[in-house]
Amino acid sequence: AGTGKTFTMLGKINKLVSQLNVDPASILVLTFTNAAAFEMKDRYMRNSNNTKCPEFRTFHSFCYSLIVSDIQVRLKLGYNKIPKVASDDDVLSIKTRAKMIVGTKLSIKQMNLPDKKLSQKDKLDKQLFWKQFGKLLKQSGLITFDKLCYGVCKLFVNDEECIKKYKEKYKYIFVDEYQDTDSNQNDFVMSFENSNIFVVGDALQALYSFRGA
């Protein structure tokens, strides 16, 4: 902590734009909190003479921006209209409905258990529950933070036609706090096979191993 990882990354971005004449629109900078994204953008703008700015975003805001702006991405994810991000109350309500429709005795907490801890019947119930949950979400015009990030990232990993223009657009991918990426986000970043990828992180600051980071 405090050794200058983000400082170095921003310095590299500034050099690309100010000295090597790289188009800022071709640079995507990702992190994990809105505050961190705002701070990086602010620091970049204060140290740059260029009026144009690279895209500084969290993983989730980047994914949701594509859902909002690109109808082909929405359709690929199963939405005709722009979905609203579900609140905690929305999620609980839809999970309760899904549980009733499936008719399982498993608790909502048990639905998150690894398959190896469940019987064959319970595994099937869990499968049906999550399928029904996703169906009800779409019917309600809602999407969860996890589903929006996972869904869009998978489109990149699978090299779907609707996202090829974004792989062509972003020639430079930067990620701060890389120790916090989960396997899905890591695969997303690495799917930019023809882009320059630069990441910084610190394994000693890893806080999210519980969610697969």
Side-chain angles (χ1 to χ4, degrees):
T3 54
K5 297 183 295 297
T6 304
F7 176 84
T8 301
M9 188 176 76
L10 290 172
K12 185 174 178 68
I13 295 170
N14 198 24
K15 181 178 180 180
L16 285 171
V17 176
S18 62
Q19 297 181 34
L20 302 179
N21 297 316
V22 169
D23 183 359
S26 69
I27 301 173
L28 175 63
V29 189
L30 297 167
T31 188
F32 288 88
T33 67
N34 289 324
F38 176 82
E39 183 186 355
M40 282 197 294
K41 181 177 180 179
D42 182 59
R43 285 169 63 180
Y44 171 82
M45 293 302 290
R46 281 190 281 111
N47 291 288
S48 173
N49 296 320
N50 201 303
T51 54
K52 291 184 179 180
C53 184
E55 198 160 348
F56 289 89
R57 287 191 176 273
T58 65
F59 278 91
H60 286 89
S61 73
F62 174 74
C63 291
Y64 191 56
S65 72
L66 298 193
I67 293 173
V68 169
S69 64
D70 194 323
I71 189 172
Q72 296 304 320
V73 170
R74 287 201 300 276
L75 290 173
K76 195 68 182 177
L77 295 177
Y79 291 92
N80 293 317
K81 297 179 180 180
I82 298 172
K84 176 186 171 186
V85 178
S87 67
D88 290 343
D89 287 342
D90 291 330
V91 171
L92 181 59
S93 175
I94 292 175
K95 281 182 176 179
T96 302
R97 285 167 58 198
K99 186 173 179 293
M100 290 174 63
I101 292 171
V102 172
T104 179
K105 292 182 180 179
L106 284 174
S107 68
I108 291 175
K109 186 177 180 180
Q110 287 174 307
M111 296 297 182
N112 292 302
L113 290 174
D115 284 353
K116 62 184 179 181
K117 292 190 176 182
L118 299 172
S119 67
Q120 198 61 37
K121 180 185 181 305
D122 288 345
K123 277 192 282 188
L124 179 59
D125 280 359
K126 175 185 168 183
Q127 233 176 19
L128 293 172
F129 168 82
W130 285 114
K131 186 175 181 180
Q132 187 63 47
F133 174 70
K135 184 179 178 181
L136 291 173
L137 268 179
K138 289 176 183 177
Q139 287 176 354
S140 303
L142 298 170
I143 192 168
T144 63
F145 274 113
D146 287 343
K147 282 188 174 293
L148 75 87
C149 192
Y150 178 81
V152 173
C153 285
K154 279 299 178 188
L155 297 182
F156 279 81
V157 173
N158 295 336
D159 202 28
E160 298 286 351
E161 192 63 35
C162 62
I163 57 82
K164 287 184 178 178
K165 59 189 173 187
Y166 300 109
K167 288 189 177 182
E168 292 173 2
K169 175 182 178 180
Y170 298 112
K171 297 301 183 185
Y172 297 86
I173 310 296
F174 290 83
V175 187
D176 198 18
E177 305 293 354
Y178 204 69
Q179 75 278 354
D180 292 336
T181 55
D182 59 27
S183 59
N184 183 47
Q185 292 161 336
N186 175 74
D187 291 344
F188 160 73
V189 172
M190 295 306 162
S191 74
F192 287 84
E193 295 175 350
N194 297 316
S195 301
N196 289 275
I197 299 172
F198 184 92
V199 306
V200 295
D202 178 6
L204 295 178
Q205 294 185 61
L207 301 174
Y208 297 103
S209 59
F210 66 89
R211 66 163 176 77

